[in-house]
Amino acid sequence: MRDKRTVALMFAAPLLMLTLMYVLFRGVGDVNADLAVQSVDAQLVSAMEVTGMHIHHVAAAASAHDDKSQAQRMIRQNDYAGYLTEHGNTLTLTLANADQAKSALITRSIASAQARLAARAAASTIASQRAALN
């Protein structure tokens, strides 16, 4: 109690540390990500629509020999956070990686959309099998 600096440090240091931790670990707020899609299944695109995700439909280029360079060019020209294409059953995602929050939003929305569609497909299969058994 005689040392004023120690008493002040006992109260001020934890408050300062908690304030710094709050600033560092709080959410970044509203994240808005622009995703370009080309030749992607409409059901997947509709399942991907979440808050903050802006989906832009891009027409297929006539001379799309190199999909990776086309994706990089579209990302640079239009300031997209990602570019998603589908060839057969393969999805190809190219991310700008300029903002990790935007990249995380895009990957989370694609993963959740695929899980939702798989659950719908499983539910319809179970319903059809139940009807066949009855």
Side-chain angles (χ1 to χ4, degrees):
M1 295 304 278
R2 293 181 186 174
D3 189 9
K4 305 283 188 215
R5 289 180 291 182
T6 304
V7 173
L9 194 59
M10 286 175 50
F11 291 105
L15 290 175
L16 179 65
M17 291 303 292
L18 287 174
T19 304
L20 288 174
M21 296 296 273
Y22 173 76
V23 170
L24 289 176
F25 291 115
R26 71 178 171 165
V28 292
D30 296 333
V31 176
N32 295 317
D34 292 316
L35 176 67
V37 295
Q38 176 188 358
S39 305
V40 178
D41 184 33
Q43 289 180 342
L44 180 64
V45 173
S46 66
M48 280 181 3
E49 292 177 357
V50 295
T51 304
M53 176 79 73
H54 304 290
I55 298 175
H56 305 277
H57 295 276
V58 177
S63 62
H65 291 45
D66 189 12
D67 289 334
K68 186 175 181 179
S69 64
Q70 178 185 357
Q72 291 171 349
R73 185 175 60 251
M74 289 295 289
I75 287 171
R76 262 187 257 115
Q77 287 175 353
N78 300 304
D79 196 32
Y80 292 140
Y83 188 83
L84 181 67
T85 58
E86 182 177 16
H87 297 288
N89 291 330
T90 305
L91 288 173
T92 304
L93 176 64
T94 305
L95 294 171
N97 280 333
D99 187 355
Q100 292 300 319
K102 291 180 182 182
S103 298
L105 176 66
I106 291 171
T107 54
R108 272 195 321 260
S109 67
I110 291 173
S112 66
Q114 288 176 328
R116 257 186 257 133
L117 290 178
R120 280 188 212 157
S124 66
T125 302
I126 291 170
S128 66
Q129 288 177 352
R130 184 182 323 143
L133 289 174
N134 288 336

